[in-house]
Amino acid sequence: MKLKYKKLIIGITVVTLALSFFILTLIPTGGSEKHSAADAELVLNQNEDINKLIADYYAAKKIVDIETMSTLVSDPNQIEREKFTAMAAYVEDYQNINCYMIKSEEEDAYRVYARYDMKLKNIESLGPCLTSFYVTTTSDGKYVIYLSALDEVQEDFISAADENSDVLELEEEVANGLQEVIDKDESFKQFYQKLDKEIQSTASGSAAAGQ
């Protein structure tokens, strides 16, 4: 075989291997790169069990039903009884609850953003609100609001989810909606400010008691 022909064969082989490698890099392997919660899709009301969990939680919170709330969370000792009691004096109802969710890829867990309208007592205007939860499953497959200690993986997931652009947009939308109600309804504004001061006072008292 002539040397020139040998070189041609080697050249074609190298090019073929290079093309094969390039094509392989374009094929998704399924496990080489995990989808980040910061880029994940924010879905709405796609898990009926979680929707019911959050709805039951707010129904119990409204009347400070600690016994029921204890069945809905991972650690009943973390339930803020004093805070919820203070809120119950001002809040009549939690309405139009919708659950936006991002699923963790590490475990059967979700970052849940509950959007709802808060009805203050004797005030007609509804205040848009948004509260975030970390929801996990128990050993028997029951969904609960997780109030226990977080490990590093869980903390990273929650931080990434909270940086999701859709979540940030949702937060801004709700904040603007609430501010609009405050600006338009003086009665709502005054009652809401009283509620906020009461919550802050309760939080300060709890912090002092823990020192």
Side-chain angles (χ1 to χ4, degrees), residues 1-11:
M1 183 181 293
K2 295 181 179 180
L3 181 60
K4 182 177 180 181
Y5 184 61
K6 286 184 178 180
K7 289 183 178 180
L8 177 61
I9 294 175
I10 293 172

Side-chain angles (χ1 to χ4, degrees), residues 12-26:
I12 292 173
T13 302
V14 171
V15 171
T16 302
L17 288 174
L19 286 173
S20 298
F21 176 76
F22 177 72
I23 291 171
L24 284 174
T25 61
L26 299 180

Side-chain angles (χ1 to χ4, degrees), residues 90-124:
Y90 294 86
V91 180
E92 179 180 319
D93 199 10
Y94 301 96
Q95 302 177 5
N96 307 318
I97 300 172
N98 288 282
C99 295
Y100 295 79
M101 301 181 299
I102 293 177
K103 187 181 185 304
S104 169
E105 294 203 349
E106 299 296 330
E107 54 188 344
D108 190 11
Y110 298 80
R111 186 61 162 163
V112 178
Y113 304 90
R115 180 175 182 171
Y116 56 92
D117 292 321
M118 181 174 60
K119 173 69 170 66
L120 297 178
K121 292 183 177 180
N122 302 316
I123 304 294
E124 291 187 8

Side-chain angles (χ1 to χ4, degrees), residues 7-207:
K7 289 183 178 180
L8 177 61
I9 294 175
I10 293 172
I12 292 173
T13 302
V14 171
V15 171
T16 302
L17 288 174
L19 286 173
S20 298
F21 176 76
F22 177 72
I23 291 171
L24 284 174
T25 61
L26 299 180
I27 299 175
T29 61
S32 60
E33 186 174 337
K34 294 184 178 179
H35 191 56
S36 170
D39 302 316
E41 180 184 5
L42 183 67
V43 299
L44 172 62
N45 294 332
Q46 289 196 2
N47 188 311
E48 290 300 326
D49 291 332
I50 291 180
N51 290 350
K52 185 177 185 307
L53 168 68
I54 300 302
D56 290 346
Y57 175 81
Y58 277 106
K61 178 181 177 180
K62 178 175 64 176
I63 59 175
V64 198
D65 183 354
I66 302 300
E67 183 177 353
T68 296
M69 294 181 74
S70 297
T71 67
L72 305 175
V73 302
S74 63
D75 184 358
N77 292 324
Q78 299 302 317
I79 295 175
E80 300 176 283
R81 181 192 296 265
E82 292 184 1
K83 175 182 175 181
F84 294 155
T85 300
M87 293 183 68
Y90 294 86
V91 180
E92 179 180 319
D93 199 10
Y94 301 96
Q95 302 177 5
N96 307 318
I97 300 172
N98 288 282
C99 295
Y100 295 79
M101 301 181 299
I102 293 177
K103 187 181 185 304
S104 169
E105 294 203 349
E106 299 296 330
E107 54 188 344
D108 190 11
Y110 298 80
R111 186 61 162 163
V112 178
Y113 304 90
R115 180 175 182 171
Y116 56 92
D117 292 321
M118 181 174 60
K119 173 69 170 66
L120 297 178
K121 292 183 177 180
N122 302 316
I123 304 294
E124 291 187 8
S125 298
L126 300 176
C129 296
L130 187 71
T131 301
S132 58
F133 300 93
Y134 182 52
V135 174
T136 62
T137 53
T138 60
S139 57
D140 58 355
K142 175 187 175 184
Y143 285 107
V144 293
I145 295 172
Y146 191 81
L147 300 181
S148 308
L150 298 169
D151 60 28
E152 185 175 352
V153 171
Q154 293 169 328
E155 289 181 347
D156 288 345
F157 163 67
I158 291 173
S159 296
D162 289 350
E163 293 172 1
N164 186 289
S165 60
D166 289 336
V167 172
L168 296 177
E169 183 178 342
L170 179 62
E171 289 177 348
E172 183 178 5
E173 181 182 329
V174 173
N176 290 339
L178 178 60
Q179 188 60 53
E180 183 177 343
V181 176
I182 291 174
D183 292 340
K184 287 184 176 180
D185 191 329
E186 185 64 27
S187 296
F188 180 93
K189 176 181 179 181
Q190 292 179 3
F191 214 58
Y192 181 79
Q193 289 176 339
K194 288 181 181 179
L195 169 61
D196 186 53
K197 289 181 180 179
E198 187 71 26
I199 292 175
Q200 295 297 329
S201 176
T202 302
S204 300
S206 298

